[in-house]
Amino acid sequence: MLVFMCVPVSPGKSRVIWAFPRNVGVWLDKVIPRWYYHIGQNAILDSDIYLLHIEERNFAAAGIENWQKAVYVPTSSDNMVIAFRNWFRKHCKSQVGWAAPTVGQLPETPTKDKLMERYWSHVTQCRSCSAALKGMKALEVALQIASVAVVGFLAVAKGTLVTSVVQRAAVVSLAVLCFAASRWLASFIEKNFYFQDYVHAYK
């Protein structure tokens, strides 16, 4: 379960606060680190954020009183959306009453990497994710150093410590494995702590 609190802060922008009640979950939830769960929750947010961003502009184009012309809500599962829009129209006149008067124009649509970036919007503010990122970056560097060190060892030890073809193959394989692991880790870090494009057609 996820609990979302979406706070509008300016036209086209909201602060999203979400809670994942894992503290009352099964024992496994208390063993697995928080950052691992956050990766999954961020993927859920990414699946919605771009569509919501575009829909907001479709609503604006249709007019605040004509939101149903911009969307198709035919099923009973859409009742909550309809109920909220009715409440919003009745009590808020279909618009947010900003503390400071504003023109209400939506800002230009940013590129996806800015709209769905994770580092500044989440990682820097989350102790678990920032600590995990720091540790993974250190491991990435360590793997690269190990790869170079193994190749250097092979060059120095050739003909002395490493004499057989099997030994040389094992050392080279270790170097390749360390380098490949560092590249995989770099990709993992980029996708889960910075930005990963979410294409709904592929999900």
Side-chain angles (χ1 to χ4, degrees):
M1 183 173 67
L2 277 174
V3 180
F4 286 98
M5 291 155 277
C6 303
V7 185
V9 294
S10 66
K13 293 184 179 179
S14 293
R15 177 176 292 112
V16 178
I17 303 168
W18 57 267
F20 179 50
R22 65 192 291 269
N23 292 340
V24 293
V26 298
W27 66 269
L28 192 61
D29 290 334
K30 298 174 183 178
V31 174
I32 298 173
R34 285 174 55 216
W35 65 264
Y36 183 80
Y37 283 109
H38 289 184
I39 287 174
Q41 310 316 322
N42 282 328
I44 292 172
L45 287 173
D46 283 351
S47 72
D48 293 336
I49 193 168
Y50 192 72
L51 287 179
L52 292 173
H53 185 82
I54 298 303
E55 284 304 315
E56 185 175 31
R57 278 141 184 81
N58 292 339
F59 280 17
I64 57 176
E65 293 294 339
N66 303 313
W67 69 271
Q68 282 181 301
K69 292 182 179 179
V71 294
Y72 183 53
V73 284
T75 68
S76 59
S77 62
D78 298 315
N79 285 343
M80 289 295 290
V81 175
I82 296 169
F84 169 76
R85 285 286 158 186
N86 289 337
W87 175 90
F88 195 46
R89 183 185 67 251
K90 180 179 178 181
H91 297 286
C92 306
K93 297 180 181 178
S94 297
Q95 51 192 334
V96 176
W98 302 109
T102 179
V103 177
Q105 292 182 337
L106 294 173
E108 291 184 9
T109 298
T111 56
K112 267 191 171 183
D113 60 329
K114 290 182 179 178
L115 185 64
M116 300 194 302
E117 70 83 26
R118 291 182 182 176
Y119 182 74
W120 294 108
S121 63
H122 175 78
V123 175
T124 57
Q125 301 172 59
C126 174
R127 284 184 297 176
S128 180
C129 289
S130 58
L133 176 61
K134 192 174 182 180
M136 288 181 195
K137 281 188 170 182
L139 179 58
E140 179 191 352
V141 172
L143 286 168
Q144 291 174 352
I145 292 173
S147 177
V148 173
V150 169
V151 171
F153 169 78
L154 181 62
V156 171
K158 189 176 181 180
T160 56
L161 296 174
V162 182
T163 55
S164 71
V165 174
V166 174
Q167 288 175 330
R168 283 196 295 274
V171 172
V172 170
S173 297
L174 180 60
V176 170
L177 185 62
C178 287
F179 182 77
S182 74
R183 293 298 81 215
W184 177 87
L185 188 56
S187 176
F188 181 85
I189 289 171
E190 176 65 23
K191 290 178 180 178
N192 292 289
F193 294 96
Y194 288 95
F195 167 74
Q196 181 178 18
D197 193 4
Y198 194 101
V199 181
H200 284 79
Y202 299 153
K203 301 296 183 181

